Amino acid sequence: DQQVKQNSPSLSVQEGRISILNCDYTNSMFDYFLWYKKYPAEGPTFLISISSIKDKNEDGRFTVFLNKSAKHLSLHIVPSQPGDSAVYFCAASARGQNDYKLSFGAGTTVTVRA
Amino acid sequence: DTGVSQDPRHKITKRGQNVTFRCDPISEHNRLYWYRQTLGQGPEFLTYFQNEAQLEKSRLLSDRFSAERPKGSFSTLEIQRTEQGDSAMYLCASSFIAGGTYEQYFGPGTRLTVT
């Protein structure tokens, strides 16, 4: 069963605008969440993470928001740049259960238009 | 250190043949993971090692799959009697479990095509 879901397969945004990517999860044991970016023919690249003890984490143009009660997280990219065009994966793990393997969503393809 | 490396990057094999992939993790990382990714899906966990010990295997890992990590350094993933359904991208990742850092760093993957 898919424990991490990214319901939007694609997103198109104009350069300079905000990109908002969404992710939902079902496993209440998940307590650590990560976003990865993937270009074609490359492995996923770590972007940003957040622990369940926080509701926001920011790193430069990237901000992740976590809503534990809704089991929902989002990634904001501001401002979007052409180099941000890639597939973005949401992932989760249950560190508190000593379970570090990652469960991934199916990904959202972001296209930044000039 | 240049990150996680995987070899080969591409492998085409005929059904029924055996294949072996290699992963070299980031040198100070004590955990090594294998994932499989098919088209349109996110990576799916297969197995992981802490140092040389294989601690967990997914039910996706049939008896035809075996993984090793001798001496806690590089790892190999072998698939025996390959089937067309084994065609996928095989990804390796490593991490260092300590000090509050838990991110996994991925290699470029090995793309397997079974004909």
Side-chain angles (χ1 to χ4, degrees), chain A residues 9-58:
Chain A
S10 62
L11 172 69
S12 180
V13 64
Q14 193 163 9
E15 183 179 1
R17 298 292 187 103
I18 184 172
S19 295
I20 300 177
L21 291 80
N22 294 303
C23 177
D24 298 291
Y25 61 96
T26 57
N27 188 341
S28 57
M29 292 293 126
F30 287 153
D31 58 4
Y32 194 69
F33 305 90
L34 309 90
W35 285 93
Y36 284 85
K37 173 181 179 180
K38 187 180 184 301
Y39 293 119
E42 294 184 12
T45 301
F46 169 72
L47 271 179
I48 191 168
S49 61
I50 188 167
S51 164
S52 60
I53 62 173
K54 295 184 176 182
D55 54 18
K56 177 182 174 181
N57 189 26
E58 192 171 355

Side-chain angles (χ1 to χ4, degrees), chain B residues 15-91:
Chain B
R15 188 176 54 190
Q17 298 294 304
N18 298 346
V19 294
T20 300
F21 310 142
R22 176 180 171 123
C23 170
D24 287 90
I26 293 172
S27 57
E28 64 268 23
H29 284 185
N30 54 1
R31 287 205 175 189
L32 186 149
Y33 304 79
W34 285 98
Y35 293 84
R36 180 172 68 188
Q37 185 178 17
T38 54
L39 196 61
Q41 300 298 316
E44 293 178 292
F45 168 77
L46 292 178
T47 188
Y48 88 90
F49 294 82
Q50 178 155 319
N51 300 313
E52 66 274 11
Q54 187 173 18
L55 295 187
E56 186 175 349
K57 292 193 288 187
S58 164
R59 64 180 185 277
L60 294 175
L61 213 63
S62 76
D63 291 345
R64 296 183 298 105
F65 288 70
S66 62
E68 294 183 343
R69 192 183 182 198
K71 302 178 183 177
S73 56
F74 71 92
S75 176
T76 58
L77 178 68
E78 180 183 16
I79 309 175
Q80 296 182 327
R81 303 181 304 282
T82 51
E83 302 173 356
Q84 287 188 321
D86 298 331
S87 295
M89 175 74 84
Y90 290 83
L91 293 162

Side-chain angles (χ1 to χ4, degrees), chain A residues 76-93:
Chain A
H76 293 206
I77 307 173
V78 183
S80 299
Q81 299 174 353
D84 296 331
S85 295
V87 180
Y88 290 78
F89 291 100
C90 172
S93 67

Side-chain angles (χ1 to χ4, degrees), chain A residues 54-73:
Chain A
K54 295 184 176 182
D55 54 18
K56 177 182 174 181
N57 189 26
E58 192 171 355
D59 183 0
R61 296 186 298 114
F62 302 92
T63 303
V64 57
F65 296 92
L66 175 62
N67 182 333
K68 289 190 295 292
S69 61
K71 293 191 176 69
H72 176 84
L73 63 156

